[in-house]
Amino acid sequence: EDAGRLGAFQARIDAEQKIEPNDWMPEAYRRTLIRQIAQHAHSEIVGMLPEGNWITRAPSLRRKAALLAKVQDEGGHGLYLYAAAETLGVARETLVEQLLSGGAKYSSIFNYPTLTWADIGAIGWLVDGAAIMNQIPLCRCSYGPYARAMIRVCKEESFHQRQGYEIMTVLARGTTAQRAMAQDALDRWWWPCLMMFGPPDGESQHSDASTRWKIKRFSNDELRQKFVDATVPQGHYLGLSFPDPALRFDEATSHWHYGAIDWDEFRAVLRGDGPCNRDRLAARNRAHENGAWVREAALAFAEKRRRKAAA
Ligand code: 3HC
């Protein structure tokens, strides 16, 4: 790619112009967007599994309805994101195949088990809370289709976060056993949620380019800190404690200082050695096989309609 075109492209980015599918773009820009949007889409689809695990066991019809709506939303988020990735010239089937074969990344957080109902509260409150922190800036991403997909995703995420925090509130104000469930869920989900934001800035190989191209508006550590600052007071309001003895409020910076994250655990999960990686892939492959007849029927119906229209 000649320097002139690269310079003109960067000038558009610097001028806060949106890059659209038919615009010229550097191959590296296209590739990193396909990488990130595909993983984002895979995260939404795999994220349906830990939550779906509790639809049949929700404690009330109201909780079941909210959880059904949330899981359905996640499927829709995956759809928008695979569609956004397709505008960059990659077929959805190719991306789905990469996920099913175990060759694609998705957010580490979904490789942890949902052991009690309180986990559904913790996921809504913490996981969707972290996702909101990460997805609000993506609404201003330089690539048009990705930014626009994020607008609706963020609206739905705030419902997800709200219903999760309400579940935690009811449990935290409930019986001793319920409070213990809420505390146990916070203990197990807190550190994996901090890992959702990615490795520390010094070890993030994509941040420089993604920041220059205004895909990433804040660094991994900046978003992680924003999430900690927003979430710790919410946990304290519920009378819950965080599993971090080093956690303390720093008056000088007005930030909550937190302890060291176990990056060995993070790397193990990314390698496929998390608690549920194999289960998640097996479940995805089973669902894909069981759903083949639906795809075939939809394609056959579309073909019949096409023939009728052409006749
Ligand atoms: N899980 C899995 N892989 C991760 C990760 C995580 N939590 N954090 C980082 N990685 C990977 C990166 O993909 C990259 O690997 P790759 O080169 O094979 O893609 C490597 O670790 C180095 O990380 P970088 O910081 O250099 O990578 P990025 O610049 O891509 O930053 C990110 C990572 C912040 C997750 C960024 O990719 C991003 O913003 N992605 C889109 C949003 C997203 O996926 N959010 C999490 C899930 S959203 C969700 O769950 C929806 C809600 O319904 C719960």
Side-chain angles (χ1 to χ4, degrees), residues 210-279:
S210 292
T211 304
R212 189 171 64 250
W213 286 328
K214 298 189 179 175
I215 296 169
K216 199 176 256 193
R217 294 281 184 168
F218 296 95
S219 77
N220 297 359
D221 288 329
E222 281 172 336
L223 284 185
R224 198 178 348 258
Q225 185 63 64
K226 276 161 78 100
F227 172 70
V228 171
D229 290 345
T231 310
V232 169
Q234 292 172 344
H236 288 165
Y237 174 73
L238 297 183
L240 299 175
S241 62
F242 287 80
D244 177 1
L247 189 68
R248 58 174 172 73
F249 188 69
D250 181 341
E251 295 292 343
T253 62
S254 296
H255 289 306
W256 280 91
H257 170 79
Y258 53 89
I261 294 174
D262 180 354
W263 294 113
D264 289 339
E265 177 179 332
F266 175 72
R267 278 186 284 274
V269 175
L270 261 61
R271 260 199 323 271
D273 296 335
C276 299
N277 294 58
R278 290 170 187 77
D279 300 3

Side-chain angles (χ1 to χ4, degrees), residues 35-36 39-40 43-44 74 77 105-108 110 127-128 131 134-135 138 146 157 195-199 204-207 210 216 220 266 270:
R35 172 191 66 83
Q36 175 164 330
Q39 288 170 19
H40 197 161
S43 301
E44 303 284 2
E74 311 295 11
H77 297 174
K105 281 198 173 74
Y106 56 87
S107 189
S108 49
F110 297 121
V127 175
D128 288 76
N134 163 283
Q135 290 170 157
L138 284 171
Y146 194 22
E157 292 291 15
M195 296 176 199
M196 274 179 81
F197 292 92
S204 167
Q205 73 248 35
H206 297 292
S207 282
S210 292
K216 199 176 256 193
N220 297 359
F266 175 72
L270 261 61

Side-chain angles (χ1 to χ4, degrees), residues 18-70:
K18 282 281 179 273
I19 306 300
E20 297 299 335
N22 296 330
D23 293 346
W24 183 85
M25 61 184 83
E27 262 322 290
Y29 178 82
R30 181 188 305 278
R31 261 199 322 276
T32 207
L33 277 169
I34 289 176
R35 172 191 66 83
Q36 175 164 330
I37 299 173
Q39 288 170 19
H40 197 161
H42 296 330
S43 301
E44 303 284 2
I45 298 302
V46 175
M48 296 167 77
L49 294 169
E51 300 169 353
N53 184 29
W54 281 86
I55 289 176
T56 57
R57 293 182 276 164
S60 70
L61 186 59
R62 180 167 172 269
R63 292 293 187 214
K64 185 197 285 272
L67 183 54
L68 266 172
K70 177 176 185 333

Side-chain angles (χ1 to χ4, degrees), residues 1 12 26-27 40 50 71 74 158 176 183 186 200 252 285:
E1 285 142 357
R12 292 193 63 200
E27 262 322 290
H40 197 161
V71 173
E74 311 295 11
S158 54
T176 311
Q183 183 60 62
L186 176 52
N285 275 284

